[in-house]
Amino acid sequence: MDANLQLERGLEKHQAGDLIGASQEYENIINQMPDHFDALHLLGVVASQQGMYEKAEEYIRKAIAINPSAVAFYINLGIALKNQKKYAESVEVYSKALSLDDKDPGIYYNLANLQMLMGDFESAENGFSNVIKLVPEYADAHSGLGKCCIKLFKFDIAVEAFSNAIKLDPNNSGHFLDLAIAYKELEDYENAIINAKIAIDKNNGVSEAYNVLASIYSLQKKYSEATEIVEKGLSLNSQDSDCLCTLGVIYLHQGKFEKSYQKLCESLESNAGNGDAWVAKLTLLRDWQRYDEWYECLLEGNQKAEYDKRDSYVMYINLLMYSWIKQDNTLLEKYLSQYPQYKKGTNYKSKDYAYPNYIGLLHDYKRSHNDAYCNDEKGKNKIYVVGESHSLYPTGLQVNVEGTQYTLDSFLIVGCQARFIADKELNRYSRSFHEIVKLIPDGSTVIMNLGEIDCRHDFGFFSYHKKKSLTLEEVMKPVIDNYVDNVLSEFNGKNCKLIFHGVPASNINVELIDVKDRQGFIDMFEIYNTMLKNKLKEANLDFIDAYNETLGDFGVSNKKYHIDEHHLVPEFIKQYLEGKV
């Protein structure tokens, strides 16, 4: 039979879905004409459709060897390689196809999807942009561009891309869901909720949409609404790893650590590669003060998790925290040396790099003042420092207090503000503090070091007093009163000596603050410290006056004791406790 006629018969069967019949026709051609590149190529396409990707690769490579100029051969070989997870080879094949035809939007699209799968979001962004230039009405290309921009933290561009996808394909619920995620990242929760609800209305059988909506409510601290929504998602798919993770995070924020742990473990049982679940679990264990498990989780997550750059960076910061708290110099130097590779490509704002820079500075200080640090873990007296990042600067120091040698030990509550401890409702920070108090031996000396985050310009006391048109004193008084009272209540019966660390004078560049806000911001530090000192005096508690010791001209830092914009050099606490300042 004529090979062309057999090829036509094979194509008819192929197009009709008769893959076995088509394959037989193509094989008959090959038996007669072993170098018939079209039949070889189509045999590879059939094998790929049947899930036999290695066989598909073999056939199509033979076809390319005979006819290396057929673009379609490279496209289908790229698909077979991608399905074998031979991503680098697949990229090479698509690149070859582009060298033969740089006007084919399908090649750009397939290559961009592959690059996105590999985590090369910059190249994928460029690829999807090329597709859009060639075919502006290609909705999925706009969607792909938006997804890349989410990963690259270009959220404004992502909003525009998903909006374009919706205009071109308004019935696709996925575009609305992606737009909701982009708005969530911009903290535009109103538009995020609107689009998540549209996605649910268009396809209420997808658990993912409920998960996104629940995560938005959780960010707004609307935990009851968030729980109700995510449970609807779980009713559709009880094994949805993302929904289980979101429920675990909701419980975490509410201070319900046991329930959080259960749901996060279920999430990882469902999908061991869920990066968000690993990050939530390590955050939980750290807040729970279960440090050994925290470190084990970090190592296990690093092996199993499919982290994006943001999650990978969060994991890295936690490794630094653990190493410093444990005063493990070998681990610390190992992780500090890795900082450039984790920083690259995260596009985080400078403040998000605070922990690596800060811990690096502390480590430098320790190396140049090694005699000031304790190197013997056995039999030493301890003074405990409790707080957020400011609790880390005394870690490991030796101090001599009235003839007795002490080592300073830290309990970290990342991101904690005084107002969270003042809050009457249980939250993750107050629960973490509760767990810390249980770990501190009776009769110990404890330094509470909270309040600096409350005194920042962009949130806390200052932004709240502007928003509510209240004086700073009106905003601060209930927080300070309840903060001190709740600390006393937690330590009731433990016979501990409590010392409260004041907030140092501001060391940021106040020229960057709007002129109309500048003096009020500077004054806030004096007001807070004065009010805290007065409250402590009423309760007969000690106060470390970090403000006056760091105060310079014009109400800002004298630069004597600051190690960076927000934190103090270890020398300060050592000199203060030893009565030298």
Side-chain angles (χ1 to χ4, degrees):
M1 184 181 292
D2 181 76
N4 289 332
L5 183 59
Q6 281 186 301
L7 189 65
E8 287 180 14
R9 287 177 54 179
L11 285 169
E12 287 176 3
K13 292 179 180 180
H14 200 159
Q15 291 166 357
D18 181 5
L19 298 182
I20 295 175
S23 181
Q24 289 173 344
E25 297 290 348
Y26 301 146
E27 285 176 354
N28 288 335
I29 297 172
I30 298 303
N31 289 334
Q32 300 172 46
M33 303 175 63
D35 290 341
H36 197 294
F37 49 78
D38 283 329
L40 285 167
H41 167 241
L42 290 168
L43 268 174
V45 173
V46 170
S48 191
Q49 289 173 313
Q50 292 174 321
M52 296 185 293
Y53 302 117
E54 291 183 10
K55 198 70 176 175
E57 178 188 352
E58 178 185 342
Y59 281 128
I60 299 174
R61 284 196 185 279
K62 286 181 180 179
I64 289 173
I66 300 166
N67 180 10
S69 61
V71 174
F73 294 4
Y74 292 96
I75 293 173
N76 287 315
L77 177 58
I79 293 170
L81 290 167
K82 175 187 174 183
N83 284 314
Q84 293 178 76
K85 297 187 177 180
K86 296 180 178 179
Y87 299 139
E89 292 180 56
S90 187
V91 167
E92 289 179 12
V93 168
Y94 282 127
S95 298
K96 176 63 177 177
L98 281 175
S99 72
L100 296 170
D101 183 1
D102 63 357
K103 301 298 182 184
D104 187 330
I107 303 174
Y108 283 109
Y109 183 76
N110 286 349
L111 179 57
N113 273 310
L114 178 61
Q115 289 164 332
M116 188 161 62
L117 184 64
M118 295 171 69
D120 184 1
F121 300 111
E122 292 87 353
S123 297
E125 178 190 14
N126 185 58
F128 287 122
S129 296
N130 284 329
V131 177
I132 293 167
K133 288 176 185 176
L134 293 166
V135 189
E137 66 275 14
Y138 200 152
D140 285 346
H142 289 280
S143 174
L145 176 62
K147 289 175 181 177
C148 287
C149 289
I150 289 285
K151 294 295 186 180
L152 293 169
F153 313 107
K154 299 178 180 179
F155 303 125
D156 288 320
I157 300 175
V159 165
E160 181 181 357
F162 293 134
S163 298
N164 288 334
I166 287 169
K167 290 175 185 176
L168 295 165
D169 186 9
N171 293 319
N172 189 323
S173 63
H175 298 331
F176 288 95
L177 190 59
D178 289 333
L179 183 56
I181 293 169
Y183 276 126
K184 181 182 78 168
E185 294 289 357
L186 286 169
E187 298 182 8
D188 182 350
Y189 299 135
E190 181 179 354
N191 276 313
I193 289 170
I194 288 170
N195 283 281
K197 286 183 175 180
I198 292 173
I200 289 172
D201 289 341
K202 288 184 175 292
N203 189 353
N204 61 13
V206 178
S207 57
E208 181 185 3
Y210 290 98
N211 177 60
V212 171
L213 182 57
S215 69
I216 298 166
Y217 282 132
S218 179
L219 289 169
Q220 294 180 301
K221 300 183 179 180
K222 297 178 179 178
Y223 299 125
S224 296
E225 294 95 324
T227 301
E228 181 181 351
I229 293 295
V230 78
E231 285 179 345
K232 286 182 180 178
L234 286 168
S235 71
L236 297 170
N237 180 4
S238 62
Q239 301 302 310
D240 188 309
S241 180
D242 290 331
C243 283
L244 289 164
C245 174
T246 295
L247 187 54
V249 170
I250 292 168
Y251 287 141
L252 168 62
H253 286 302
Q254 292 177 298
K256 300 175 181 178
F257 288 177
E258 292 81 4
K259 286 186 174 182
S260 177
Y261 185 80
Q262 177 187 346
K263 293 304 173 185
L264 293 174
C265 287
E266 289 177 16
S267 173
L268 291 170
E269 286 173 9
S270 179
N271 177 11
N274 189 329
D276 289 339
W278 281 108
V279 168
K281 186 178 179 182
L282 69 87
T283 301
L284 167 65
L285 293 170
R286 184 194 67 212
D287 287 358
W288 211 343
Q289 306 301 315
R290 292 162 65 166
Y291 283 1
D292 289 341
E293 292 174 73
W294 173 32
Y295 186 59
E296 289 173 7
C297 180
L298 283 164
L299 297 182
E300 187 178 1
N302 208 20
Q303 292 179 339
K304 296 180 179 179
E306 297 169 2
Y307 286 135
D308 61 17
K309 287 182 178 179
R310 176 161 45 185
D311 288 344
S312 181
Y313 184 67
V314 171
M315 178 276 300
Y316 168 69
I317 291 174
N318 276 266
L319 286 169
L320 284 179
M321 292 174 184
Y322 175 86
S323 303
W324 177 254
I325 289 170
K326 291 296 185 180
Q327 291 290 284
D328 189 324
N329 293 331
T330 302
L331 271 183
L332 189 59
E333 289 174 4
K334 170 187 172 182
Y335 295 130
L336 284 171
S337 70
Q338 297 171 357
Y339 179 39
Q341 75 185 62
Y342 282 101
K343 179 179 179 180
K344 183 179 179 182
T346 56
N347 277 5
Y348 271 19
K349 298 177 183 178
S350 60
K351 68 179 182 180
D352 295 297
Y353 295 122
Y355 269 105
N357 288 332
Y358 172 43
I359 292 174
L361 290 169
L362 291 176
H363 183 58
D364 289 343
Y365 179 90
K366 180 179 178 180
R367 285 193 299 184
S368 60
H369 298 79
N370 192 54
D371 291 344
Y373 285 80
C374 178
N375 297 307
D376 179 12
E377 287 294 319
K378 297 180 179 179
K380 61 178 182 283
N381 300 309
K382 288 188 177 181
I383 293 175
Y384 299 94
V385 186
V386 179
E388 27 68 55
S389 59
H390 293 265
S391 71
L392 296 181
Y393 90 93
T395 308
L397 278 173
Q398 283 188 318
V399 295
N400 190 303
V401 181
E402 297 178 351
T404 301
Q405 198 79 0
Y406 292 91
T407 297
L408 295 174
D409 203 1
S410 299
F411 282 106
L412 175 65
I413 315 176
V414 175
C416 186
Q417 300 176 43
R419 66 187 179 95
F420 297 147
I421 304 302
D423 197 339
K424 293 180 181 179
E425 291 189 13
L426 181 68
N427 56 67
R428 61 178 278 201
Y429 305 100
S430 59
R431 173 64 189 273
S432 184
F433 178 55
H434 177 75
E435 297 298 325
I436 288 169
V437 174
K438 291 195 295 185
L439 294 172
I440 293 175
D442 291 0
S444 299
T445 296
V446 181
I447 300 172
M448 294 297 304
N449 196 354
L450 294 170
E452 192 275 334
I453 298 181
D454 301 83
C455 292
R456 295 189 183 177
H457 176 256
D458 48 352
F459 53 89
F461 295 135
F462 197 77
S463 63
Y464 192 77
H465 109 91
K466 288 178 61 182
K467 181 180 179 180
K468 296 296 184 180
S469 298
L470 297 170
T471 66
L472 283 165
E473 289 86 350
E474 288 173 325
V475 173
M476 290 178 181
K477 183 171 177 21
V479 172
I480 292 171
D481 286 349
N482 290 332
Y483 164 46
V484 174
D485 290 344
N486 288 349
V487 169
L488 286 171
S489 177
E490 281 285 355
F491 277 99
N492 184 39
K494 289 185 71 74
N495 195 33
C496 289
K497 179 182 180 181
L498 298 177
I499 304 172
F500 284 73
H501 196 299
V503 173
S506 175
N507 193 40
I508 69 168
N509 182 3
V510 293
E511 296 296 323
L512 299 176
I513 297 174
D514 194 295
V515 173
K516 70 178 185 301
D517 291 339
R518 197 172 297 162
Q519 192 57 51
F521 170 73
I522 293 170
D523 292 342
M524 171 176 58
F525 291 82
E526 181 179 6
I527 295 169
Y528 175 80
N529 282 284
T530 300
M531 294 183 71
L532 177 60
K533 185 176 181 179
N534 290 337
K535 172 67 177 178
L536 296 172
K537 187 176 181 180
E538 293 174 6
N540 197 30
L541 295 171
D542 291 339
F543 176 65
I544 296 176
D545 192 352
Y547 175 70
N548 281 306
E549 294 297 335
T550 57
L551 183 62
D553 295 335
F554 310 111
V556 296
S557 173
N558 56 20
K559 308 294 183 181
K560 183 178 179 181
Y561 289 114
H562 272 94
I563 198 170
D564 63 14
E565 281 192 342
H566 301 290
H567 304 95
L568 297 180
V569 70
E571 179 184 355
F572 172 78
I573 192 71
K574 180 175 176 64
Q575 290 189 3
Y576 205 99
L577 291 173
E578 292 181 347
K580 297 175 182 177
V581 295

